[in-house]
Every structure is written in C-alpha cells, then in structure tokens.
C-alpha cells in the first residue's frame, strides 16, 4: 500500500469491445421452401467511457485497476435477430483529470465537471446480416459483414486539482503555515524542507459567509521545470488556479530575485501560467521592525501587487484575503474552460512519473468472444463488403 491515498498519476490499459459478426442465415419453414435470407446484425462492442465524479479527489481506485476491458458484441442470429451490444466500461474520475496517450504523450481529452462523459475508446460496430444484401439479382447472398475490431490503447491519467488560489514558493517559505492559518486544513508543518509531499486543499472563509479554495503544492526549487526536487510532479496542479499567490519569506537575501526564479520555473513549465494574475506575499514579516519594513517596501516595484503577512501573528492576513477575493472575482481571472481551455503541454520524458512509466503490464489472458460461424459464416474474400463509413446498402444492391 502507498504511504498516501492521494494518487494523481496512473497508467492503465483500455480496450473497447469488438463488434459481433452478422449472420448468414436463410429462413426455413415447412411450407416456405424459399424463405430467403434473414440473418440478423451483430451487436456493437462496448465503449470505454470516462465520467466526472465531484465526490472523488484521487485516482487511487485506478491504481489497482490496471486493465479496463469492455465486452464484445454478440453475433446476429436467424429471424433478423440482432446480437446483444457489449457492456460499456465506465471509468469514474475526479473533476480535473487529463488524459494522455502513453506512447506518444499526446493530449487526448479532459474531464472538468460533474457528470461529464467522454467516450475514450469507441466500441466496434456490429456486422450487417445477409438480409441487407438481398436484391432482385442476388436473392441468396451467402455472406455477411464481420464486426469491427475493438481498440486497445495505453493511457496516462493526470489529476490537476481545481482551486481558486494556488500557493507557489520555495521550501520553508511558510505555505503550509499560511494554509493552516486561514483555513481548517491541517497540513504537516516542520522546520525542514519539503515537509509538504502532496498537494493540500483548504477552504478559506471570507466575509458574509463566502469562501474560496486555496491549494498548496510542495516547494519549488530552481530547476524544478527540468525535474529537480518535487515541484515538477505537482506544478500541474496550479494550471487550473485562477490566481497565483507567491510566498517569499522576509529573511530571504533578495526577495525579487527569488520571485523572478519562481516566475521563470512556471514559464518553463507552461507559458500559459504567465497570463494568470499574481500576488506576492512576504511571509514571516513579524520579524521586521518599521524601519526594515519600509526599506524592504522600497525594493519591491510598484507594478508588483504585494502584501506583508505573518501567519503566526495574523499580520496582514485580512488584507491578503481582500486582495485574493478581488482577484478571484475579477472577470479577467474567471476560468471559463469552454471559452478559454487550458493548453495542456504534451507529456515528455521529463514530465512523466518514472515508477508509473516503467510499469510493466502483464496482460491477462482475456479470451475474446469466439463466434461460432459453422452455420452463419461471415464474408472473408469479398473486400467490397468490409467495413466502410460510406457504405450504402442501395449501392450494394
């Protein structure tokens, strides 16, 4: 079992069902010597569908469900009886889940709201029975269509948490302390780097019973966008935040230099993050007297929105909440995924989780449905009747 139940990256194998074969059957009855073709169509193969679930917060269920296989459609039978459709496999995922092709790293789709369904893999169509092919010149068609094959694909699911405010800072900048001070969240707090090993969410109460969500990610260090530290693995969680709150401690040697380093790492990770509104909070300001505070104030450019805070004494926290609330409700910062979708960068070697990417799939021997076509043979040698999206029955006749 993992040390944490928070899983935000999994790699799974999915397979849709293949379509059932059409039937090659001829009607037989005591007083109907030439009943004609009556072979039914095959059933559709099962789809693999993703569905958003707002009650889920982790991909943990998929950690132990590495293979998702939909069932095959059944073949048609006599009397124009259609085969049964295959069973669809529905994968429930948290809102904010992004899907990539595991082989190429290409972005495929994303789930952003409750109940949203995306057909990840389409099941194969069922084959047409021989009754479709009868005509005045071909009264006894002895062929039927085979079912379309299913699709198998290895995909990577990434969870990008939904929050209004994302905390960004170096290790020991006071991010977890701030989150515990302004919300009921209780993240681990200690005096050593990388205390936070996984993202944390907290609901920050505001005036008139209003609130907003704040997300804390592990500390970022210089070179995080290239794979150093823990920031790379969790930087994806701030891609969906409306506002970015940068935390730099007051005892830093150069506040603006650290702020610039953090900005540079975000830009290298995803340039689209530069379009988000940014607020700079100088934490641990209770250590400063009025003279040092004024001197430090003069070193910060006027175009950088900032505030001096102390999570221990509560200094500046009310002003910080006001700034965040105004920024969140600014029309320019409201995230409309339909109008301005996030540009998800492709997964390359540096952005993959090594232990998941090297996972070896021991494919279970799942036998495909065996179609017994001793009486209902499907067409093998006539290429004109293989599956074609533009197939027209009238043209066949």
């Amino acid at each position: 079992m993992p040390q944490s139940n928070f899983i935000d990256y999994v790699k799974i194998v999915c397979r849709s069902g293949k379509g059932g074969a059409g039937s090659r059957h001829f009607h037989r009855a005591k007083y109907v010597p030439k009943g004609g073709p009556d072979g039914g169509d095959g059933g559709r193969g099962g789809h693999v569908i993703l569905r958003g679930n707002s009650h889920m917060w982790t991909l943990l269920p998929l950690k132990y469900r590495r293979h998702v296989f939909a069932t095959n459609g059944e073949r048609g039978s006599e009397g124009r009886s259609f085969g049964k459709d295959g069973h669809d496999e529905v994968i429930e995922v948290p809102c904010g889940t992004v899907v990539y092709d595991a082989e190429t790293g290409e972005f495929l789709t994303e789930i952003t709201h409750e109940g949203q369904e995306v057909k990840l893999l389409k099941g194969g169509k069922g084959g047409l029975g021989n009754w479709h092919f009868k005509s005045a010149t071909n009264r006894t068609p002895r062929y039927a269509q085979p079912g379309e094959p299913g699709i198998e694909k290895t995909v990577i699911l990434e969870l990008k948490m939904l929050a209004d405010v994302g905390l960004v800072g170096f290790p020991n900048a006071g991010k977890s302390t701030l989150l515990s001070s302004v919300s009921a969240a209780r993240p681990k707090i200690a005096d050593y780097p990388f205390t936070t090993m996984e993202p944390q969410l907290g609901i920050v109460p505001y005036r008139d019973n209003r609130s907003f969500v704040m997300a804390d990610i592990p500390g970022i260090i210089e070179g995080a966008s290239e794979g150093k530290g823990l920031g790379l693995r969790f930087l994806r969680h701030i891609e969906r935040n409306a506002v970015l709150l940068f935390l730099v401690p007051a005892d830093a040697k150069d506040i603006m230099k650290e702020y610039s380093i953090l900005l540079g790492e975000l830009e290298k990770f995803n340039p689209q993050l530069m379009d988000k509104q940014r607020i700079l909070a100088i934490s641990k300001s209770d250590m400063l007297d009025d003279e040092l505070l004024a001197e430090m104030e003069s070193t910060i450019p006027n175009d950088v929105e900032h505030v001096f805070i102390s999570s221990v004494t509560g200094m500046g926290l009310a002003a910080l909440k006001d700034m965040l609330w105004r920024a969140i409700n600014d029309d320019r910062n409201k995230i409309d995924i339909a109008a301005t979708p996030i540009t998800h960068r492709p997964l390359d070697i540096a952005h993959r989780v090594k232990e998941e990417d090297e996972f070896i799939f021991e494919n279970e021997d799942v036998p495909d449905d065996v179609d017994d076509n001793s009486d209902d043979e499907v067409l093998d040698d006539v290429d004109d009747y293989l599956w074609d999206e533009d197939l027209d029955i009238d043209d066949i006749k």
Side-chain angles (χ1 to χ4, degrees):
M1 293 291 290
Q3 295 179 354
S4 170
N5 286 334
F6 182 79
I7 303 296
D8 60 354
Y9 185 109
V10 294
K11 184 177 180 182
I12 62 176
V13 173
C14 300
R15 183 200 298 164
S16 62
K18 67 178 182 181
S23 173
R24 174 195 169 277
H25 188 272
F26 292 89
H27 180 67
R28 294 290 183 269
K30 185 174 182 180
Y31 299 107
V32 186
K34 298 181 180 179
D38 69 345
D41 301 345
R44 169 188 61 81
H47 304 311
V48 177
I49 300 172
L50 294 177
R51 178 187 296 160
N53 187 340
S54 60
H55 299 288
M56 294 179 65
W57 61 278
T58 176
L59 296 172
L60 180 64
L62 292 176
K63 185 79 173 178
Y64 306 101
R65 188 188 178 194
R66 296 293 188 171
H67 303 86
V68 180
F69 297 153
T71 60
N72 299 330
E74 297 182 1
R75 63 182 179 86
S77 58
E78 60 187 59
R80 298 187 184 182
S81 296
F82 291 179
K84 182 180 179 181
D85 291 343
H87 175 69
D88 297 337
E89 282 293 335
V90 179
I91 307 174
E92 294 201 344
V93 295
C95 298
T97 300
V98 183
V99 186
Y100 297 93
D101 187 316
E103 301 298 329
T104 63
E106 178 188 3
F107 166 76
L108 298 178
T109 185
E110 62 180 333
I111 301 295
T112 57
H113 56 268
E114 165 72 19
Q116 178 186 358
E117 290 191 355
V118 174
K119 193 180 295 180
L120 183 61
L121 298 180
K122 185 179 179 182
K125 294 180 180 179
L128 298 178
N130 64 341
W131 72 276
H132 284 281
F133 307 112
K134 65 180 180 180
S135 66
T137 57
N138 186 13
R139 297 186 178 185
T140 57
R142 299 183 181 278
Y143 44 77
Q145 281 184 336
E148 252 188 353
I151 303 172
E152 182 169 325
K153 186 183 289 291
T154 303
V155 297
I156 291 175
L157 304 182
E158 264 193 359
L159 174 60
K160 299 182 180 182
M161 294 194 309
L162 303 171
D164 299 308
V165 179
L167 291 173
V168 183
F170 285 95
N172 280 355
K175 302 187 299 299
S176 297
T177 305
L178 173 62
L179 185 65
S180 64
S181 299
V182 298
S183 72
R186 291 296 174 262
K188 184 179 179 181
I189 300 173
D191 58 355
Y192 54 84
F194 297 112
T195 307
T196 301
M197 299 296 292
E198 61 187 42
Q200 301 285 339
L201 287 178
I203 299 177
V204 181
Y206 192 63
R207 298 186 181 96
D208 302 327
N209 295 322
R210 294 174 292 183
S211 63
F212 57 89
V213 180
M214 182 179 289
D216 174 25
I217 66 171
I220 298 173
I221 62 175
E222 190 172 3
S225 60
E226 300 173 358
K228 296 181 180 179
L230 296 176
L232 174 68
R233 179 169 176 177
F234 300 107
L235 274 173
R236 58 176 171 267
H237 291 292
I238 63 175
E239 288 184 309
R240 294 193 185 279
N241 301 155
V243 180
L244 301 181
L245 176 59
F246 289 77
L247 254 70
V248 178
D251 57 356
K253 292 182 179 180
D254 190 335
I255 291 178
M256 294 311 299
K257 181 179 180 180
E258 292 198 3
Y259 177 64
S260 300
I261 292 175
L262 293 172
L263 278 179
E265 294 302 322
L266 295 189
E267 185 174 11
K268 292 176 184 176
F269 180 78
N270 188 347
Q272 196 175 15
L273 293 175
M274 295 296 98
D275 299 333
K276 297 181 181 292
Q277 183 169 344
R278 304 182 293 271
I279 297 175
L280 174 61
I282 295 88
S283 61
K284 307 178 184 179
S285 296
D286 55 314
M287 301 184 300
L288 306 175
D289 55 23
D290 294 340
E291 184 178 350
L292 286 174
L293 194 62
E295 181 181 350
M296 195 170 292
E297 178 80 30
S298 64
T299 63
I300 302 176
N302 294 328
D303 59 342
V304 178
E305 191 174 7
H306 61 279
V307 60
F308 289 86
I309 65 170
S310 172
S311 303
V312 177
T313 64
M315 168 189 172
L317 293 185
L320 176 62
K321 287 183 180 182
D322 291 337
M323 295 172 67
L324 292 174
W325 185 259
R326 288 195 300 269
I328 293 169
N329 289 277
D330 191 329
D331 291 337
R332 295 172 298 178
N333 299 327
K334 291 182 178 179
I335 299 178
D336 186 352
I337 297 175
T340 56
I342 296 175
T343 302
H344 300 281
R345 43 126 188 90
L347 280 181
D348 52 25
I349 296 177
H351 293 84
R352 293 176 183 262
V353 179
K354 184 177 180 181
E355 59 269 23
E356 287 287 337
D357 200 49
E358 294 180 352
F359 180 81
I360 299 175
F361 293 100
E362 297 177 356
N363 286 311
E364 300 172 359
D365 295 330
V366 180
D368 295 334
D369 292 346
V370 179
D371 293 327
D372 182 7
N373 295 312
S374 56
D375 296 324
D376 302 317
E377 297 176 358
V378 296
L379 179 66
D380 292 328
D381 300 326
V382 185
D383 295 336
D384 293 341
Y385 297 106
L386 293 179
W387 267 113
D388 187 348
E389 293 291 341
D390 300 325
L391 183 66
D392 191 338
I393 300 302
D394 295 332
D395 294 341
I396 296 175
K397 294 178 181 179

